[in-house]
Amino acid sequence: MRKKLLIMSLAMALVVANGFDTFTVEAASWKSNYKKVIKNYHRIDKYNVYEKEYFGSSYGFQKYFISDIDSNGTPELLLYSSSMGLTSVFTCSKGKLKFLWTDDFYKIKKSKKSLVVKGHWHGAGGTNEKEYKIYKVPRKTSLYYIDNAYGNYTVSKGNTYSKGTAKKYKKVYKKYVKGGKKISKFKKYKLKNKSGLNNWQ
C-alpha cells in the first residue's frame, strides 16, 4: 500500500512539474478536432447538405471563432460564412467532434448557455423583427421559438408551435435574448489563422 502511494505521489509530481493537468489533456482533444475542420471545412459538408444546394457557388465558410457557450471547459467552434450569412456550431464531446446547428445566429447569451436567431433566413412566416429562435448548448433542437406578430404572440417550446401571451413572450425574451452579445461583435479569425484557437471569447 505504501509503495502504491509513493508511485502515485511521484506520478503526480511529474504531472505538476511538466505542467500537464486534466484540462490540458481535454484541450488537446478539442483543439486537434477543430484544427481539422478549420484546415478543411469541407469535412462538414455532410451536415450542411441543404445549405450547399441552396446557396450553390456562394456556399462556403471564411472565418471562425471559439466560445465556451455552456462554460464546461470545452469551447464551441463557430464557423462563420460571410457569403451565406450563416454560422455552423460544433462542440467536442469525449474526444469526438459533434455538430450542433447551422443558422443565422444573432446573439450568444453565455449566462443561459444559449444562441439566438433573429427572424429567419429562408421560408415564409414570422415578423423577422420580433421573431426569435433560441438554441441551448448542447441540445440538438431549438429550445424556444417566440414571435410578436403585431400583438399576436407565439411562444413555443421545442418544435411544437403554439399561441402565447405578451407576458410569456417577455419572460422568454428577457431570459434568453436580452443582454446577449451579438455575433457581429465577436472577433473572427480567417481559417488559415490558427491563433484563434487560443483566444476564447
Side-chain angles (χ1 to χ4, degrees), residues 89-107:
V89 185
F90 296 82
T91 192
C92 200
S93 178
K94 297 179 181 178
K96 292 183 179 180
L97 186 72
K98 183 181 177 184
F99 170 74
L100 295 178
W101 328 279
T102 296
D103 213 323
D104 182 11
F105 290 106
Y106 168 60
K107 281 184 177 182

Side-chain angles (χ1 to χ4, degrees), residues 1-13:
M1 182 69 180
R2 192 174 287 177
K3 190 176 179 181
K4 273 188 179 179
L5 285 170
L6 180 62
I7 291 169
M8 285 174 68
S9 298
L10 285 169
M12 287 299 291

Side-chain angles (χ1 to χ4, degrees), residues 38 61-66 78-80 186-201:
I38 291 166
F61 295 87
Q62 296 79 34
K63 296 182 179 181
Y64 76 95
F65 64 98
I66 63 170
L78 296 98
L79 283 186
Y80 176 75
F186 283 85
K187 182 179 179 180
K188 301 170 187 69
Y189 297 82
K190 290 182 179 179
L191 298 185
K192 63 181 179 181
N193 184 354
K194 303 297 185 296
S195 67
L197 290 170
N198 301 319
N199 301 313
W200 297 23
Q201 300 182 64

